[in-house]
Amino acid sequence: MKVVLKHLTKKFPGKNKKSHEEVIAVNDFDFEIPDGKLVGLLGPSGCGKSTTLNLISGLEAPTEGQVFFGEDDVTNVPVENRGVGLVFQNYALYPHLTVEENIIFPLQNLKGAEKLTKEQMKEKALEVAKLVQIEDYMERKPKALSGGQQQRVAIARALVKMPKVLLLDEPLSNLDARLRLQTREELRRIQKETGITTIFVTHDQEEAMSICDLMVVMKAGVVHQIGRPQDIYDDPKNLFVAQFLGTPPINVFTGKVENGKVMINGDDVFDAPGVPDQEVYLAVRPEGFIPNGSRFRYMRERREIMGRDVSIIFTHENALNPNNRAIVSAEENIPEQPGEAFFDLKPAKTFLFSRETEERIRF
Ligand code: ATP
């Protein structure tokens, strides 16, 4: 089921009673989530991710705009009739019910032609329990399960009615690092096996990059970029997106373009043919530095050898951050001691952004 947002906007009254300034949590979202995809809503805290999810589920009503499931306008359809499965960060399982009873719970209210017998409900519960690999724990109460297992039960409960759309709000945040990794792979597998259009909220870019078909990168209620994770990483639209994606983060320096060259402190560090003279941010992915070069001067602080790679930790007087990191092959000869040295920059890993608008300058 594809999900289409048309000029979707949600405004909340301001926090301060004296000021009438509204918070625009979601500002004119206008995009389509294709059928059967796993889509991540990604952005820093307060950017409107949960509100977007709540608008799609029907937990919140929009101030303006519409939500479509396929061709159907569901904007005024209440949450219980939208055919969505919901999973939240805090599992929200019923503590006094067993795993099986928790999973069965949403089936008990089905009416008319949809009504199921007890046996049918058990059958369906077992089917989804197998899908999320929790079938051996059906008789346990939630408190006798690990966090990861509880979250699987929550996912099974959301899936048991075979929703048109599965919506997950920070589903992995309460899990420890290892379980988180494992559960995100599980989520990907479950989504692939069911083919249910799945939208999940996360502030963790690595999580989104690793499992999503598509990412919606947001900030302060505004969509900044939508695309496949690798495409966004390779081709960020603006400085915010470039900085938000990637671990270690992109390295950013101030400079200016003069006569088709990026100049930093009088050094001509990079070619920018055809770019009009202006002040810019030069942003370089950690893997974008070629060691033992001749153009980009830096001050090596130390190196960290990590098997295949070597990280060069360096400072630069025009860098936005005190510590910068280049990752190069361990085969490169990188001296251990600190000192001045030069990189060259790989064009595919180096981006220019306007200092004025922070938008990408393409050339
Ligand atoms: P987080 O990652 O911290 O959960 P988020 O990206 O999910 O954040 P939202 O919870 O959607 O962000 O909130 C977006 C903005 O809307 C925030 O400024 C928040 O304070 C505001 N907001 C959300 N819900 C309400 C509400 N019920 N009343 C007033 N303001 C709200």
Side-chain angles (χ1 to χ4, degrees):
M1 177 72 64
K2 75 174 176 188
V3 175
V4 183
L5 310 185
K6 284 198 180 156
H7 300 294
L8 200 66
T9 298
K10 179 69 181 179
K11 296 176 186 168
F12 290 110
K15 288 180 207 102
N16 184 343
K17 279 187 185 147
K18 282 182 202 150
S19 95
H20 293 289
E21 209 172 307
E22 296 169 313
V23 177
I24 307 181
V26 170
N27 194 352
D28 196 18
F29 279 19
D30 201 48
F31 57 85
E32 181 175 321
I33 290 168
D35 181 31
K37 299 287 184 203
L38 178 58
V39 177
L41 302 179
L42 175 69
S45 184
C47 72
K49 304 180 293 291
S50 298
T51 304
T52 308
L53 208 73
N54 294 344
L55 292 170
I56 296 171
S57 69
L59 285 172
E60 297 267 9
T63 314
E64 284 158 49
Q66 293 157 293
V67 179
F68 287 79
F69 284 3
E71 304 307 318
D72 298 332
D73 183 347
V74 297
T75 317
N76 297 315
V77 177
V79 55
E80 60 275 17
N81 297 338
R82 273 196 200 187
V84 293
L86 295 170
V87 179
F88 298 99
Q89 179 179 342
N90 59 356
Y91 330 127
L93 300 176
Y94 299 109
H96 58 289
L97 301 183
T98 64
V99 166
E100 185 182 49
E101 288 163 347
N102 264 286
I103 300 175
I104 281 176
F105 196 82
L107 299 176
Q108 286 176 334
N109 297 328
L110 294 177
K111 302 249 162 23
E114 286 188 315
K115 198 170 164 52
L116 300 175
T117 65
K118 199 145 199 214
E119 278 319 302
Q120 287 171 320
M121 287 192 229
K122 279 177 165 281
E123 218 170 278
K124 278 199 185 285
L126 184 62
E127 208 176 295
V128 285
K130 281 186 178 159
L131 183 69
V132 303
Q133 296 174 348
I134 198 85
E135 72 271 24
D136 294 338
Y137 303 90
M138 294 297 249
E139 297 312 316
R140 286 207 197 167
K141 297 268 173 69
K143 70 172 186 307
L145 298 176
S146 72
Q149 290 163 338
Q150 290 184 39
Q151 191 56 299
R152 284 165 196 237
V153 178
I155 294 171
R157 189 178 55 182
L159 286 173
V160 75
K161 273 178 81 183
M162 280 299 143
K164 296 177 192 146
V165 182
L166 180 63
L167 302 167
L168 309 106
D169 195 343
E170 300 266 4
L172 310 176
S173 324
N174 279 4
L175 307 178
D176 69 38
R178 225 184 48 150
L179 248 180
R180 211 178 154 123
L181 272 181
Q182 195 189 335
T183 315
R184 80 182 188 202
E185 296 308 322
E186 283 286 293
L187 192 62
R188 173 83 265 199
R189 177 188 61 77
I190 294 163
Q191 194 275 332
K192 278 226 157 112
E193 281 185 27
T194 59
I196 294 175
T197 308
T198 301
I199 305 170
F200 85 103
V201 160
T202 179
H203 60 268
D204 180 340
Q205 55 91 23
E206 211 181 326
E207 189 169 289
M209 293 217 35
S210 63
I211 61 170
C212 288
D213 295 310
L214 275 181
M215 279 186 338
V216 179
V217 186
M218 314 165 39
K219 183 182 155 192
V222 175
V223 171
H224 279 246
Q225 195 163 355
I226 302 178
R228 295 191 314 144
Q230 192 65 39
D231 292 346
I232 300 182
Y233 180 85
D234 288 339
D235 198 7
K237 250 183 75 182
N238 58 37
L239 183 64
F240 163 70
V241 175
Q243 288 179 302
F244 200 70
L245 296 192
T247 16
I250 199 161
N251 303 280
V252 185
F253 313 90
T254 54
K256 56 187 172 195
V257 172
E258 280 173 6
N259 305 319
K261 308 268 183 208
V262 180
M263 307 296 294
I264 294 185
N265 298 334
D267 291 342
D268 146 21
V269 301
F270 190 64
D271 295 332
V275 175
D277 289 4
Q278 62 189 298
E279 304 221 303
V280 294
Y281 290 110
L282 176 84
V284 189
R285 294 276 179 217
E287 64 277 23
F289 297 95
I290 303 167
N292 306 317
S294 61
R295 292 178 74 177
F296 185 94
R297 186 206 314 259
Y298 68 97
M299 188 57 71
R300 185 178 54 252
E301 294 291 314
R302 60 179 204 280
R303 64 166 199 206
E304 287 173 4
I305 300 177
M306 301 175 295
R308 266 181 326 179
D309 304 323
V310 182
S311 277
I312 304 169
I313 318 299
F314 67 96
T315 57
H316 190 287
E317 51 213 325
N318 284 37
L320 293 196
N321 293 316
N323 276 321
N324 298 273
R325 188 179 285 261
I327 299 178
V328 304
S329 161
E331 284 157 25
E332 297 285 351
N333 180 21
I334 308 297
E336 199 179 339
Q337 59 277 29
E340 186 178 277
F342 288 83
F343 290 126
D344 286 335
L345 307 179
K346 295 181 190 170
K349 297 286 177 185
T350 302
F351 311 116
L352 290 186
F353 301 97
S354 155
R355 201 98 69 84
E356 200 186 328
T357 64
E358 302 193 355
E359 290 299 310
R360 177 87 171 273
I361 302 168
R362 296 180 184 278
F363 54 94

